[in-house]
């Protein structure tokens, strides 16, 4: 009698171990963030011809001309945001829904917005499939935030602006943190962490990144 052994590349346990090792080697060290990313299968958020690359540390195309960020960047942004279990988080740029799903395991509630209706609907379907009931997704102009739900403990922006958008800064609680990529060039952007204090805002530069631009208004799809 012979026993077939699955190829290591197809073995979920081996794949998960390599995925987490990849995150740690790129600076994602917060155990809460690693645990949250271990729980959420990135493969559910990557479809079509790129599905077999879901566990690589690389950004991949998704519909509406957008991308799903590379896992290590998702991890580093989440780690820099440092969400707490009682926090309410606003995410600008739902995209595939992967970042919001990771955040859902780390905070009390996630509000996520995208200008593309198709992306919001597809992300909502995955959230329902995973039973992530603490995520509220909606179609909205992300550059304006969600004033009706403000203020927020944390704000995460997954598209690049020339400067941290004023409406989003205004929706951040005192003591709150926003992580946002900024830069006037598509090729050179800097991820920064903004902390709101009683006296104003403190800015820390984190690393070089590359994101799609933050666009005002709603998309056509």
């Amino acid at each position: 009698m012979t026993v077939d052994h699955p190829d290591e590349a197809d073995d979920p346990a081996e794949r998960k171990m390599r995925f987490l090792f990849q995150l740690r080697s790129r600076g994602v060290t917060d155990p809460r963030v690693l645990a949250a990313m271990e729980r959420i299968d990135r493969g559910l958020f990557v479809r079509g011809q790129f599905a077999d690359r879901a566990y690589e540390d690389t950004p991949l195309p998704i519909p509406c001309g957008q991308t799903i960020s590379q896992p290590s960047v998702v991890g580093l942004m989440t780690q820099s945001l440092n969400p707490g279990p009682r926090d309410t988080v606003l995410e600008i740029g739902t995209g595939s829904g992967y970042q919001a799903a990771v955040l859902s395991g780390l905070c009390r509630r996630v509000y996520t917005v995208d200008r593309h209706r198709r992306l919001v609907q597809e992300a909502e379907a995955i959230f329902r499939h995973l039973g992530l009931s603490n995520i509220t997704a909606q179609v909205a102009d992300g550059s304006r935030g969600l004033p009706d739900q403000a203020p927020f403990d944390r704000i995460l922006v997954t598209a690049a602006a020339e400067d941290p958008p004023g409406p989003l800064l205004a929706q951040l609680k005192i003591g709150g943190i926003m992580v946002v990529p900024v830069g006037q060039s598509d090729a050179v952007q800097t991820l920064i962490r903004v902390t709101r204090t009683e006296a104003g805002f403190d800015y820390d530069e984190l690393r070089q990144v590359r994101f799609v631009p933050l666009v005002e208004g709603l998309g056509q799809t």
Side-chain angles (χ1 to χ4, degrees), residues 28-81:
V28 183
T29 56
D30 186 316
R32 292 180 64 238
V33 175
L34 288 167
M37 296 186 72
E38 182 178 6
R39 286 193 298 269
I40 301 298
D41 182 1
R42 189 175 187 244
L44 295 173
F45 299 85
V46 182
R47 301 173 183 173
Q49 67 187 94
F50 297 101
D52 61 345
R53 302 184 62 189
Y55 305 101
E56 296 178 15
D57 192 38
T58 186
L60 295 169
I62 61 172
C64 305
Q66 305 301 297
T67 58
I68 177 173
S69 297
Q70 66 194 82
S72 62
V73 170
V74 170
L76 290 168
M77 290 181 74
T78 306
Q79 186 170 273
S80 300
L81 196 69

Side-chain angles (χ1 to χ4, degrees), residues 59-117:
L60 295 169
I62 61 172
C64 305
Q66 305 301 297
T67 58
I68 177 173
S69 297
Q70 66 194 82
S72 62
V73 170
V74 170
L76 290 168
M77 290 181 74
T78 306
Q79 186 170 273
S80 300
L81 196 69
N82 191 28
R86 300 182 64 182
D87 286 349
T88 297
V89 179
L90 171 64
E91 181 198 26
I92 304 300
T94 307
S96 69
Y98 179 61
Q99 174 73 79
V102 170
L103 286 169
S104 73
L106 296 167
C107 63
R108 183 174 64 85
R109 174 151 294 278
V110 179
Y111 290 92
T112 181
V113 302
D114 202 287
R115 61 193 299 268
H116 296 287
R117 184 172 302 278

Side-chain angles (χ1 to χ4, degrees), residues 21-206:
F21 176 78
Q22 190 171 247
L23 292 173
R24 290 190 188 96
S25 69
R26 286 163 172 78
V28 183
T29 56
D30 186 316
R32 292 180 64 238
V33 175
L34 288 167
M37 296 186 72
E38 182 178 6
R39 286 193 298 269
I40 301 298
D41 182 1
R42 189 175 187 244
L44 295 173
F45 299 85
V46 182
R47 301 173 183 173
Q49 67 187 94
F50 297 101
D52 61 345
R53 302 184 62 189
Y55 305 101
E56 296 178 15
D57 192 38
T58 186
L60 295 169
I62 61 172
C64 305
Q66 305 301 297
T67 58
I68 177 173
S69 297
Q70 66 194 82
S72 62
V73 170
V74 170
L76 290 168
M77 290 181 74
T78 306
Q79 186 170 273
S80 300
L81 196 69
N82 191 28
R86 300 182 64 182
D87 286 349
T88 297
V89 179
L90 171 64
E91 181 198 26
I92 304 300
T94 307
S96 69
Y98 179 61
Q99 174 73 79
V102 170
L103 286 169
S104 73
L106 296 167
C107 63
R108 183 174 64 85
R109 174 151 294 278
V110 179
Y111 290 92
T112 181
V113 302
D114 202 287
R115 61 193 299 268
H116 296 287
R117 184 172 302 278
R118 175 183 174 181
L119 295 181
V120 170
Q121 292 174 338
E122 292 182 357
E124 284 182 313
I126 301 175
F127 300 154
R128 286 193 297 271
H129 171 72
L130 294 174
L132 303 178
S133 59
N134 65 334
I135 303 177
T136 299
Q138 65 185 77
V139 182
D141 179 350
S143 67
R144 300 180 182 277
L146 280 181
D148 290 348
Q149 302 296 336
F152 297 96
D153 300 288
R154 300 288 188 269
I155 299 177
L156 185 66
V157 186
T158 61
E162 290 189 14
D163 297 292
L168 300 184
L169 292 172
Q171 292 172 34
L172 195 60
K173 284 183 181 179
I174 301 296
I177 295 171
M178 177 164 68
V179 174
V180 54
V182 296
Q184 298 182 354
S185 164
D186 287 346
V188 181
Q189 299 162 357
T190 302
L191 190 66
I192 66 171
R193 179 173 54 218
V194 185
T195 304
R196 186 168 192 178
T197 68
E198 295 282 358
F201 298 94
D202 292 337
Y203 297 85
D204 297 304
E205 293 190 1
L206 302 176

